C-alpha cells in the first residue's frame, strides 16, 4: 500500500502527495475523506475521482486550445503539470483527437507556413518541431510536403538580398562569409547556400561599392589630418565613428594603411 505524505487544497486544485514523490490530483470529496499517513490504493482513488477529473481536465484542455493551436505532447505536458492521473490525461487527449481539436500534422503545416514566411530554413523548422516532442518521421514528411525545395530556395534568395544590403559596408569576402553563417543559423543547408549566394552577390559589384566606402572613410581621416592632427590620434577618432555605423575592422584598417603609405610616399 502507498502512504499519503501531504495534502494540498487550493481554490483550483486538490492534491495528495504519495510516498513523498508522486503528486496526484483528486476530486474534492475524495480528498476531504483522507488524512496524512493514510495507507491508500492509488488506483482505487483515481477510479473514484475519474468522472470529475475527466470533465475538469477536458474543460481545461479546451480552454487551453482556445488561445492557440496545440500539439499532442503539449497537451500531455499541460495536463501533467496540473497533476491529473495518466489515465485521465490520455483519455482526454484521445477525445480531443477524435474531435480533431488536436492534430500534429495540421500543427506542423501551420508552424511551417508561419516560419517560412519569416524566411526560416527547413533545417531549423524541422529541428524546432522535433524539440517540441513531435514524432520525427511525421515532422520530416510533413515539412517536406508543405515547404518544397523550390520555395526554400526562393526564400533563401530573398534572405541573401536583405543581408547583402544590411552588410553593404563589408568587403566581399567578409560579407559573403557573414551571410553564409547567418543563413545556416537561419536553418538553410550549407550546400544550398553556397550554390545560391554567388548568383546573387558578385565580387565586381562589391569592389565598386567598397571603393565608395573607402573614399568616405578617407574623407573623414583627412578632415582631421588637414588640420595638422597626428594620424594615430585621428585613428582613434575615425575608427569608433565608423564602428558605430557597422563598418568592419578590415575595411577601416585597409584605408588606414593606404593613408600611411600615401603619407610615406609624400614624405
Amino acid at each position: 500500500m502507498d502512504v499519503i505524505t501531504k495534502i494540498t487544497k487550493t481554490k483550483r486544485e486538490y492534491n495528495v502527495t504519495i510516498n513523498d514523490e508522486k503528486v496526484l490530483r483528486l476530486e474534492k470529496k475524495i480528498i476531504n475523506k483522507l488524512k496524512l499517513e493514510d495507507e491508500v490504493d492509488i488506483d482505487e482513488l483515481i477510479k473514484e475521482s475519474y468522472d470529475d477529473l475527466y470533465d475538469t481536465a477536458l474543460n481545461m484542455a479546451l480552454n487551453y486550445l482556445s488561445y492557440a493551436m496545440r500539439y499532442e505532447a503539449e497537451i500531455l505536458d499541460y495536463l501533467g503539470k496540473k497533476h491529473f492521473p495518466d489515465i485521465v490525461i490520455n483519455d482526454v487527449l484521445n477525445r480531443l483527437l477524435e474531435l480533431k481539436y488536436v492534430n500534429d500534422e495540421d500543427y506542423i503545416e501551420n508552424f511551417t507556413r508561419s516560419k517560412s514566411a519569416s524566411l526560416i530554413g527547413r533545417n531549423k523548422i524541422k529541428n524546432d518541431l522535433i524539440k517540441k516532442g513531435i514524432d520525427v518521421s511525421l515532422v520530416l514528411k510533413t515539412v517536406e510536403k508543405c515547404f518544397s525545395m523550390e520555395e526554400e530556395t526562393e526564400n533563401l534568395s530573398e534572405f541573401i538580398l536583405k543581408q547583402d544590403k544590411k552588410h553593404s559596408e563589408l568587403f566581399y569576402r567578409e560579407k559573403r562569409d557573414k551571410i553564409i553563417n547567418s543563413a545556416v543559423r537561419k536553418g538553410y543547408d550549407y550546400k544550398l547556400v553556397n550554390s545560391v549566394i554567388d548568383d546573387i552577390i558578385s565580387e565586381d559589384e562589391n569592389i565598386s561599392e567598397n571603393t565608395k566606402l573607402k573614399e568616405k572613410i578617407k574623407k573623414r581621416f583627412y578632415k582631421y589630418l588637414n588640420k595638422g592632427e597626428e594620424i594615430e590620434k585621428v585613428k582613434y577618432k575615425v575608427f569608433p565613428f565608423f564602428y558605430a555605423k557597422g563598418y568592419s575592422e578590415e575595411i577601416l584598417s585597409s584605408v588606414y594603411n593606404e593613408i600611411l603609405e600615401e603619407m610615406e610616399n609624400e614624405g
Side-chain angles (χ1 to χ4, degrees), residues 46 49-50 53-54 57 79 84-93:
I46 293 172
S49 298
Y50 178 85
L53 292 179
Y54 176 85
L79 294 178
F84 287 101
D86 290 343
I87 187 172
V88 172
I89 294 173
N90 291 328
D91 287 351
V92 167
L93 177 60

Side-chain angles (χ1 to χ4, degrees), residues 5 222 258 261:
T5 53
Y222 279 106
E258 285 180 16
E261 188 174 338

Side-chain angles (χ1 to χ4, degrees), residues 58-218:
L58 181 59
N59 287 330
M60 290 179 69
L62 290 172
N63 183 61
Y64 189 51
L65 284 163
S66 70
Y67 295 101
M69 182 179 283
R70 312 290 182 181
Y71 50 96
E72 291 183 30
E74 193 173 13
I75 295 294
L76 293 175
D77 182 63
Y78 174 73
L79 294 178
K81 288 179 178 177
K82 302 298 182 182
H83 306 118
F84 287 101
D86 290 343
I87 187 172
V88 172
I89 294 173
N90 291 328
D91 287 351
V92 167
L93 177 60
N94 287 333
R95 181 57 178 157
L96 295 174
L97 291 171
E98 289 173 7
L99 295 170
K100 301 189 185 303
Y101 291 164
V102 176
N103 184 300
D104 278 4
E105 186 172 354
D106 289 346
Y107 181 90
I108 295 169
E109 289 182 2
N110 185 71
F111 184 90
T112 302
R113 283 193 295 270
S114 173
K115 295 301 180 181
S116 63
S118 300
L119 304 182
I120 304 295
R122 291 196 298 179
N123 285 348
K124 181 167 174 53
I125 291 173
K126 292 173 185 175
N127 288 336
D128 287 349
L129 287 164
I130 291 169
K131 287 178 183 177
K132 291 177 181 292
I134 302 175
D135 180 73
V136 175
S137 60
L138 181 62
V139 168
L140 299 179
K141 179 183 72 175
T142 308
V143 172
E144 293 290 336
K145 180 184 72 174
C146 67
F147 188 22
S148 68
M149 175 67 77
E150 291 74 19
E151 291 172 314
E152 183 181 39
T153 303
E154 289 178 8
N155 281 5
L156 174 59
S157 298
E158 184 179 346
F159 176 76
I160 291 173
L161 282 170
K162 288 183 176 181
Q163 291 292 303
D164 184 34
K165 292 179 181 178
K166 179 180 177 181
H167 300 299
S168 60
E169 78 285 353
L170 301 179
F171 279 139
Y172 172 75
R173 179 174 55 78
E174 186 180 359
K175 178 196 288 189
R176 187 179 185 278
D177 289 345
K178 186 178 284 288
I179 292 175
I180 289 174
N181 290 333
S182 296
V184 171
R185 287 196 303 272
K186 197 84 170 175
Y188 293 98
D189 181 75
Y190 180 79
K191 290 182 179 179
L192 176 62
V193 177
N194 262 305
S195 70
V196 171
I197 190 169
D198 290 330
D199 292 332
I200 298 174
I201 64 172
S202 72
E203 189 166 10
D204 290 341
E205 290 177 1
N206 276 267
I207 289 173
S208 174
E209 185 65 27
N210 283 331
T211 299
K212 295 177 184 177
L213 293 173
K214 289 170 77 171
E215 288 301 320
K216 190 174 181 180
I217 297 168
K218 275 190 176 183

